[in-house]
């Protein structure tokens, strides 16, 4: 059983920053973040390979968000800067044993999901 636990969500003003954390499985997993705004489908945000050498971002967050991981602590982070009201969503941590990060980003077939953490950006 793979459990993912997100934390760090909250309310922030536009232009502000938040850092999301995810307690990750203690084994080689590719990790990612998705988000789902009210009434919309869940969308990819960022992904990182087990080694951290490969990272991917959606166009909407490229240059503002940074995904990172600390394998010694079994943690994955999403640093979010320059937040906009359109970033408001429930953010989900996701994981998969697939080592091909690019393939996971393309297919979207992630196996494990956290419960989500709410991020609200006020204008």
């Amino acid at each position: 059983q793979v459990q993912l636990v997100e934390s760090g969500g909250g309310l922030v003003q536009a232009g502000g920053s938040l850092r999301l954390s995810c307690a990750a499985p203690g084994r080689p997993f590719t990790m990612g973040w998705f988000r789902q705004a009210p009434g919309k489908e869940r969308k990819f945000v960022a992904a990182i390979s087990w080694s951290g050498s490969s990272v991917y971002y959606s166009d909407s967050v490229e240059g503002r968000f940074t995904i990172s991981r600390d394998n010694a602590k079994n943690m994955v982070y999403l640093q979010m800067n320059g937040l906009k009201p359109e970033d408001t969503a429930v953010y989900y941590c996701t994981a998969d044993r697939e080592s091909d990060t690019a393939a996971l980003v393309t297919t979207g077939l992630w196996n494990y999901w956290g419960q989500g953490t709410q991020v609200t950006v006020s204008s």
Side-chain angles (χ1 to χ4, degrees), residues 45-107:
V45 174
I48 187 168
S49 62
W50 162 248
S51 67
S53 60
S54 297
V55 293
Y56 296 84
Y57 298 97
S58 67
D59 290 342
S60 60
V61 307
E62 178 85 50
R64 299 187 298 123
F65 290 12
T66 302
I67 188 170
S68 63
R69 67 190 300 163
D70 184 338
N71 289 338
K73 297 181 179 179
N74 294 331
M75 295 295 293
V76 175
Y77 306 100
L78 185 67
Q79 178 66 44
M80 306 185 294
N81 298 328
L83 282 162
K84 305 174 181 179
E86 50 264 43
D87 294 318
T88 295
V90 177
Y91 283 71
Y92 296 91
C93 179
T94 185
D96 200 277
R97 292 186 176 90
E98 171 60 60
S99 60
D100 187 337
T101 310
L104 272 175
V105 171
T106 299
T107 64

Side-chain angles (χ1 to χ4, degrees), residues 1-6 22-31 74 93-97 110-115:
Q1 185 79 9
V2 175
Q3 288 189 317
L4 304 175
V5 181
E6 304 98 334
C22 175
R27 67 201 78 173
F29 275 79
T30 300
M31 302 295 298
N74 294 331
C93 179
T94 185
D96 200 277
R97 292 186 176 90
W110 299 77
N111 268 309
Y112 306 103
W113 296 86
Q115 294 299 306

